[in-house]
Amino acid sequence: MVADEPTIKQLSVITGISIPVLILLLGLLLPFEGKHNKAYVDPVGVVTICIGHTATAKAGQYKTDAQCYQLLAKDLEDGTKAINNYVKVPLSNHLEAALRSFIFNVGSENFRKSTLLKKLNNTDYLGACAELEKWIKATDRNTKQVKILKGLVNRRAAERNMCEAGL
């Protein structure tokens, strides 16, 4: 389910993310987000479409593959801004991909306020990578119940492995 080479090149140009980082990032995003051309409701009640896009998703909506990758490019901008504005230390490709996946999932504001970022900017790379596995809970939009999601447990483990591979 990885994007084809022309799509990766186009995404790299639009987002400013290097091709090596983008390939690593898609390797994290696609298995966990999937690509769903038809909108669906995720495990915590959020209407989602394409590759984890929620901002404008509506029940019953359908998007083409090209539209899905356009939405992905727009959604990845949040991570670019967050990394440019908040990260003060050098990042390897693997570490950057792990952070981008994390920010894509939790948002830049949660990243900005995180212990993960504090540890990262204090050059505690291993400590920052370990922080990823703490982010495994989500609040159900309907019941307001906070739950540990198996998908988040698996995603954070993959992000941590990617993060540590870059050290």
Side-chain angles (χ1 to χ4, degrees):
M1 196 185 329
V2 175
D4 60 19
E5 188 176 335
T7 301
I8 290 171
K9 286 181 180 176
Q10 184 178 17
L11 279 172
S12 177
V13 169
I14 293 168
T15 62
I17 300 171
S18 72
I19 289 176
V21 170
L22 192 55
I23 290 169
L24 292 168
L25 174 60
L26 291 174
L28 283 172
L29 286 182
L30 290 173
F32 294 105
E33 298 289 351
K35 187 174 76 54
H36 305 272
N37 296 72
K38 186 174 178 3
Y40 67 98
V41 178
D42 79 1
V44 291
V46 179
V47 178
T48 307
I49 195 165
C50 296
I51 303 167
H53 179 78
T54 59
T56 61
K58 293 177 179 42
Q61 201 173 34
Y62 178 85
K63 299 283 185 186
T64 65
D65 286 352
Q67 290 171 319
C68 284
Y69 284 110
Q70 287 171 348
L71 287 173
L72 177 62
K74 178 84 172 117
D75 291 343
L76 289 174
E77 288 177 6
D78 191 40
T80 298
K81 289 176 188 167
I83 287 172
N84 290 341
N85 292 332
Y86 309 135
V87 175
K88 308 300 180 201
V89 294
L91 300 175
S92 68
N93 289 345
H94 286 78
L95 181 50
E96 182 180 341
L99 288 177
R100 286 179 179 280
S101 174
F102 176 71
I103 295 165
F104 184 88
N105 186 238
V106 305
S108 61
E109 188 59 16
N110 285 325
F111 174 67
R112 184 186 67 78
K113 296 186 290 185
S114 70
T115 302
L116 185 157
L117 179 62
K118 288 177 185 69
K119 288 184 177 190
L120 182 66
N121 282 336
N122 285 323
T123 65
D124 179 4
Y125 289 99
L126 272 176
C129 293
E131 285 293 312
L132 288 164
E133 290 189 344
K134 294 180 179 178
W135 292 76
I136 57 172
K137 296 177 182 173
T139 302
D140 190 297
R141 296 273 171 104
N142 300 315
T143 66
K144 307 301 182 213
Q145 181 183 8
V146 177
K147 355 175 170 178
I148 293 175
L149 298 180
K150 178 103 172 98
L152 287 179
V153 171
N154 294 339
R155 181 182 187 144
R156 297 299 176 245
E159 289 168 347
R160 182 175 182 176
N161 287 338
M162 177 76 70
C163 185
E164 291 176 349
L167 303 181

